[in-house]
Amino acid sequence: MAKTIQAIRGMNDCAPTESPLWQWVEGKVRSVLANYGYSEARMPIVESTPLFARAIGEVTDVVSKEMYTFWDNDEQLTLRPEGTAGCVRAAIEHGWIYNNEQRLWYMGPMFRHERPQKGRYRQFHQAGVEVFGIPNPEIDAELIILTARLWKELGIEQHVSLQLNSIGSLEARQNYRSALVEFLQNHQDLMSDEEKDRLVKNPLRILDTKNQALQDVLNNAPKLLDYLDDESRTHFAQLCDLLDAMGIQYEVNPKLVRGLDYYNKTVFEWVTSALGAQGTVCGGGRYDGLVEQLGGHATQGVGFAMGLERLVLLVQEVNKDIPLQSAVDIYVVFAGEGTTLAAFQVAEKLRSELPHLRVMTHCSGGKFQKQFKRADKVGAKFAIVIGESEAQANQVVVKDLHSGAEQQTVANADLVAHLTQLL
Ligand code: HAM
């Protein structure tokens, strides 16, 4: 036998048995976003590499070590590691945000060359939202309220909590950065080589270190919130007031800085303890400078993205009563002279007149007994049986496969009405 070829590590197939749950989760995401009046944007999976380097930042983990980059003739391209950069690129390129507010969403695969483990993959899927042209904290609040509604719809609201912070303006962050570096310089003995490297290149990322000794020291470090500029401070206070008034619980986490460089003011993450180490199901924040940084007119931005694999895992873990529909309602079986055409015609008529039903026609021949086994296997609720005599008389036999109720012979002309009553 020829040697089989396997999927790439960290890039998963979705089995036909798993896809109904994925569709259910994605359906909830789509319907909540529609509910708030957001519009879908679709961007390519590949973009030119400098886009990500400029948007996300050269010294971030994502850009410095996790991107899938390749040469296409003399152009360097990258599989998108996240959706914000491409969305901002498209918004500028097509004038979506020129003198205009936009509330957009997207869904699709992202690629990061990380070490795979539960909840962390090399190809994963995000549903993301980007809002342009609104400076007010009301929109930050709306994004959080929207996600809170989605958690309720998914039945996971008891298992996620909100972490919130403000990282202020670029200038405030630079002042804070100097104070933090000065403080940490005396504690280099506790740092790994990677942390020492961060101290030079991206010191704020040291705040979310997993190194306990360093964490203890950081409790006495200068606090980012103390360095905030007045505008960011007011913005954050207004956001917190709104969330309080709307009954949304959160914890202000002064160490939350996020791993991408484009943020300012509000940053937030929804986290769960039910998934082990990869507990962040959704992260986002404001990025008021990014549009201009990528060559557009200065336009405020704010958004978030959630990891769909993590949401699906969490739903599987905590929500056991999802009404997933059976794959098939009606399975059409037939055997004998002239029955193939009759079966196809009946099935097509049902699909036209009862379009919400899932109707499957048996296509692999054999005796009725084998065909019924197949109907059971696909979980069909009813079988429609057509033998030679039924075909000749323009009728079918309807058999309830779940209740065992007595089968009934029904004229083709009455079949739609008959099934409407049954289903
Ligand atoms: P991020 O925090 O890098 O933010 O990713 C958002 C979410 O994607 C994470 O919270 C996590 O649920 C999921 N995720 C990230 N990496 C992986 C992975 N390797 N495997 C599985 N899931 C993963 C962003 O990407 C920003 N673009 C979000 C944003 C939009 N900020 C403003 N607008």
Side-chain angles (χ1 to χ4, degrees):
M1 254 208 283
K3 196 165 174 278
T4 57
I5 296 173
Q6 314 240 304
I8 316 282
R9 205 162 103 81
M11 303 203 180
N12 300 321
D13 301 303
C14 179
T17 46
E18 294 164 20
S19 59
L21 179 58
W22 273 83
Q23 286 174 4
W24 183 81
V25 170
E26 289 167 357
K28 291 283 180 199
V29 172
R30 286 197 173 89
S31 83
V32 167
L33 289 163
N35 213 205
Y36 283 75
Y38 286 56
S39 310
E40 184 184 12
R42 298 188 184 203
M43 281 74 64
I45 284 170
V46 181
E47 299 272 0
S48 84
T49 306
L51 172 69
F52 299 116
R54 269 170 67 186
I56 300 171
E58 296 275 6
V59 297
T60 56
D61 285 352
V62 171
V63 171
S64 64
K65 45 189 185 198
E66 294 170 0
M67 296 208 301
Y68 283 93
T69 294
F70 57 96
W71 286 96
D72 176 18
N73 294 327
D74 53 359
E75 196 178 4
Q76 206 179 20
L77 305 180
T78 293
L79 299 187
R80 63 181 184 189
E82 57 99 59
T84 310
C87 190
V88 171
R89 194 258 323 129
I92 297 170
E93 187 169 334
H94 308 296
W96 294 344
I97 48 178
Y98 191 68
N99 282 337
N100 197 8
E101 283 181 13
Q102 281 288 359
R103 300 183 199 196
L104 304 175
W105 65 271
Y106 50 84
M107 209 188 279
M110 308 288 160
F111 303 84
R112 294 184 194 177
H113 194 274
E114 297 193 79
R115 202 165 42 78
Q117 63 180 94
K118 182 181 172 189
R120 186 167 69 194
Y121 310 102
R122 291 181 171 173
Q123 175 174 334
F124 60 99
H125 297 77
Q126 283 186 347
V129 161
E130 313 295 351
V131 175
F132 296 103
I134 309 184
N136 310 30
E138 280 85 342
I139 191 68
D140 309 29
E142 174 171 285
L143 293 186
I144 289 169
I145 292 166
L146 179 161
T147 44
R149 177 180 289 271
L150 178 63
W151 311 147
K152 275 207 189 104
E153 291 282 324
L154 294 173
I156 59 173
E157 75 275 20
Q158 301 297 333
H159 303 270
V160 287
S161 60
L162 177 62
Q163 304 260 308
L164 194 61
N165 194 20
S166 175
I167 59 171
S169 65
L170 189 61
E171 198 190 351
R173 225 157 42 253
Q174 271 161 356
N175 291 339
Y176 174 68
R177 184 189 150 120
S178 310
L180 183 67
V181 170
E182 198 181 315
F183 172 86
L184 284 172
Q185 227 124 36
N186 303 325
H187 299 284
Q188 292 203 41
D189 50 323
L190 299 175
M191 291 184 194
S192 65
D193 288 344
E194 194 179 348
E195 281 155 352
K196 281 183 191 153
D197 192 43
R198 278 196 170 156
L199 185 61
V200 179
K201 292 185 180 153
N202 201 0
L204 264 58
R205 283 316 305 277
I206 296 181
L207 292 176
D208 60 15
T209 177
K210 302 230 158 48
N211 172 346
Q212 191 53 51
L214 202 54
Q215 272 291 351
D216 293 343
V217 163
L218 280 168
N219 288 334
N220 299 318
K223 301 269 177 294
L224 183 48
L225 282 173
D226 295 332
Y227 283 74
L228 286 193
D229 49 295
D230 287 345
E231 194 188 315
S232 300
R233 195 185 298 279
T234 311
H235 186 98
F236 192 56
Q238 286 172 344
L239 171 62
C240 291
D241 284 349
L242 259 168
L243 295 178
D244 291 338
M246 290 297 289
I248 305 252
Q249 290 183 356
Y250 57 89
E251 185 193 338
V252 175
N253 176 358
K255 291 179 184 159
L256 179 68
V257 290
R258 310 257 313 123
L260 313 163
D261 273 0
Y262 45 63
Y263 293 109
N264 69 310
K265 291 188 177 156
T266 314
V267 289
F268 65 92
E269 286 185 354
W270 286 94
V271 294
T272 178
S273 52
L275 294 181
Q278 302 306 318
T280 308
V281 293
C282 174
R286 224 169 227 289
Y287 49 86
D288 294 330
L290 184 59
V291 175
E292 198 174 9
Q293 190 187 318
L294 293 180
H297 289 274
T299 309
Q300 301 86 357
V302 57
F304 65 78
M306 44 204 159
L308 293 178
E309 279 77 5
R310 294 184 192 178
L311 282 181
V312 167
L313 280 170
L314 186 55
V315 167
Q316 262 172 338
E317 201 104 346
V318 305
N319 185 352
K320 301 291 177 210
D321 40 40
I322 302 165
L324 293 181
Q325 289 175 316
S326 94
V328 174
D329 296 301
I330 292 170
Y331 196 82
V332 182
V333 303
F334 57 95
E337 246 337 272
T339 57
T340 308
L341 187 58
F344 271 81
Q345 284 170 339
V346 164
E348 286 306 311
K349 183 171 169 180
L350 293 181
R351 291 182 188 120
S352 300
E353 299 197 22
L354 300 170
H356 60 287
L357 292 188
R358 284 140 306 171
V359 181
M360 200 181 234
T361 307
H362 185 83
C363 286
S364 48
K367 300 214 167 85
F368 276 124
Q369 201 188 4
K370 173 189 155 191
Q371 300 193 29
F372 281 122
K373 273 203 185 131
R374 196 72 227 148
D376 275 341
K377 199 148 191 188
V378 298
K381 293 183 206 141
F382 290 91
I384 284 183
V385 190
I386 306 175
E388 281 178 20
S389 54
E390 284 82 16
Q392 272 162 19
N394 280 327
Q395 58 191 27
V396 300
V397 170
V398 177
K399 192 171 152 93
D400 186 330
L401 296 171
H402 286 176
S403 81
E406 207 173 314
Q407 61 186 41
Q408 282 182 293
T409 302
V410 183
N412 284 357
D414 302 332
L415 184 59
V416 168
H418 183 78
L419 288 172
T420 308
Q421 269 194 335
L422 288 178
L423 281 155

